[in-house]
Amino acid sequence: MIKNILPLVERPSRYLGTEINAVKKDLNRVKLRFALAFPDLYEIGTSHFGMQILYHLLNVDPDIAAERVFAPGLDLEALLRKTGKPLFSLESHAPLNRFHIIGFSLLYELNYTNVLTMLDLAGIPFLAADRDNHHPLIIAGGPCTCNPEPMADFFDAMIVGDGEAVIMQLTAEWLRWNRSSSGDRRLLLQNWSRIDGVYIPSFFEANYDEHSFQTLRPLFPDYAEVKRAIVDDLERTPFPDNPVVPFGRPVHDRLRLEVSRGCTRGCRFCQAGMIYRPVRERSPDNLMSLVSDSIANTGYEDISMLSLSTGDYGCLAPLIERLMARFGPEHVAVSLPSLRAGTLTPELMKLIKQVRKTGFTIAPEAGSQRLRDVINKNISEKEIFDTVQDAFQLGWQVIKLYFMIGLPTETDDDLKELVSLVQRLRKIKGTNRRPGKINVSVATFIPKSHTPFQWASQIALAESRNKIQWIHHQLKIAGVQFKWQDPEVSHLEGLWARGDRRLSRLLVAAYARGCKLDGWSDHFDYRSWQEAWAEVGIDPNFFTTRARDLNEPLPWDLIDNRVSRSYLQREWANACEHKVIEDCRQGFCNQCGACDFETTELKLYEAFGEDSNPACEPLNPAGVVYQHLCVSYSKTEQARYFGHLEMINIFLRALRRAGIPLKYSQGFHPKPKISFDDPLPVGIESQHEQFFLSVSDTIDPATITGLLSSHLPEGLKIHSCTLATRTSRPKPSETTYLVRLHDGRFNQDRLSFFRNSSEFTISLSNRKGKLKKIDLKDMVKRLELLDSKQLQVSLSAGNGGTLRPAQILGPIFKLSELQIKQSRVIKLKSAYR
């Protein structure tokens, strides 16, 4: 099935499932088939490291096969519906409904319609109540489950908290239940309900009072609340050092290293800062070991240090210094996510820029000090200015700033101070005595569950638009780029963030109207959502703009997030009084309830162990002599679905994994010395391609063939490596291809007509979209039918650029676009002047 579909879709490599470090097992020889489902496109889902952790944990068990599945692109979705084929997993391309358990990662409310898309394409009923033993169990995890109610009707079970603490307990219970052969799902769900962090929605009945407030009645008296699952010590938790290396260009195309989990800052708007408490750090020694193994297993050239507040990591400066000493000579860069002003010192910045400068982002959130105090964002204007000043002075040219509008107690004066802050930051000059550039991003504040602001109102849609428009107008100044999140997107996100079970019928209605991929601006359709909530009788303002009473029952009250309601209420009162509280990392406990001070408490590291620092080698050591090599390879079968830039990335990382050091250019952003032949478009195979590279003369060219081949995905094969007299080859003057049709036949009469024509002009679009006329009689040098299904053609490069077989098959043989896409094109050879 997959072979017939891939030629017809964009970015086909996202559906191959043969990435480096992907795990393939025989589904017929395991006891539990588990599909890890991410309800967004491959490029987004493969960037989520939580999925990688679960993938690793599950596949360690020989009785379990975990495979991945992502929301398909619209083109693949249309093909599946047209052909009646089900959605499939990546590794085995097995139908999704063949798995025993399907686990969805819910990271973003606007992905909810994609869950329905995936279930629909798998032929699985949406509602848990409509499924039986013939269907997979559908479960979910991720931060959105801290308010599980809007999606509760769709899932058999939902995991609240750290998935590593729960997933293997769930699978162990399933394996025991499966051995019993009772087939009673209710018994399995009861066993699951005894695990911390597992919510079984069907074990609670939703009721609504005269104020339309939802309350949940537990059907079992000993199961009245769900306590968040937590990993007490990250040091004792397995962490994958061989993560899957995605094809294409995922949004986070680098090694992601979780240095800590949780945050102690106490920002009152931040849900993640509340639901991941307390802070648990990984030791710097463990992190160094993980990075060393992961870089060797992946070939990544960038390390991203992940946490909610990376700048607060207790051993940050020594860790970065040692990472740069160890990996800087290998041209591996270290990047940090959004940072708090004041946490990134000039010393740290100097370390990071040793290989190349990565992005620099800080999040003041609010423009005025008064409003930063309201949200407990403990940074001063001076710290913001000092951080931006240091960044510009050290060579950064662009700084990104994030702000929110609509925060509780916000006034027009706060917005004016936001504008003033940006205007003054814009005047700070860098090393060239020129002002730096400021990129400003603004989003509407969305109250979230389990935060002190869960009782606050979200500003109305019209007000959000007006405020953003006013800020945009004020910041139309040189050197400032302004971006914003669509207020309609924020409004919908706010609806789902604090909704209840009544929203399930809204989701089904919106999906029926075509809503999907709502997190993508080019697919978001707010009008269809408006029609959907009008159809089902939902007033979105009941869940968004309405402020909550402190005594009002909330849909998520059954979730014990380990942060007490009394603490959240105190913090709501502190916000109203503009009162700032201290960071508990500094020793003052704010009595939030997250720590029991026995097994669950802050775990911090301030220094390495006793190991000595690794030696640091220069980037291109003096005295090293480099040799130029020519590598010949073939690109066949599934490798034809790699784009040229994608393939270059695959080879570069394979070279790194194989331990073959390349020569790099000098300068600010060193690049590896490697060049490829004329790039082949997606879909064309080749029996003989070449690339040229420079390596140390201590490397025996004969060993590269074996070393490199073992690190390449299916379809790419190294044939030889020899000394080269040049670092690149001229463009070919003529190229010969073999074309094999999957459907249809080559018409001999059409070929005769072409041969007998004195000219045969077609129009082709160039890269700028302009039509250019080309006479194929000048470009087609040889055209021979081998049989009715096979054609050999030689094409001249000419002055009009490179011509490919797909561009001539339609005009000459009147083949349809579908027939051309499904044909197999193999480059046989090239001739050079």
Side-chain angles (χ1 to χ4, degrees), residues 101-115:
I101 301 175
I102 302 173
F104 282 90
S105 296
L106 301 181
L107 273 70
Y108 182 35
E109 291 87 351
L110 266 62
N111 284 343
Y112 288 171
T113 50
N114 302 336
V115 173

Side-chain angles (χ1 to χ4, degrees), residues 608-660:
F608 276 92
E610 299 300 322
D611 296 340
S612 60
N613 288 327
C616 180
E617 299 292 335
L619 295 182
N620 279 325
V624 173
V625 178
Y626 290 95
Q627 57 183 331
H628 303 302
L629 304 179
C630 174
V631 178
S632 297
Y633 68 97
S634 56
K635 176 179 181 256
T636 61
E637 300 294 341
Q638 71 156 32
R640 62 181 160 150
Y641 299 118
F642 298 142
H644 183 65
L645 295 178
E646 180 178 10
M647 192 182 64
I648 292 175
N649 214 25
I650 289 171
F651 272 113
L652 287 174
R653 288 174 178 169
L655 287 161
R656 188 182 290 276
R657 288 192 300 273
I660 301 171

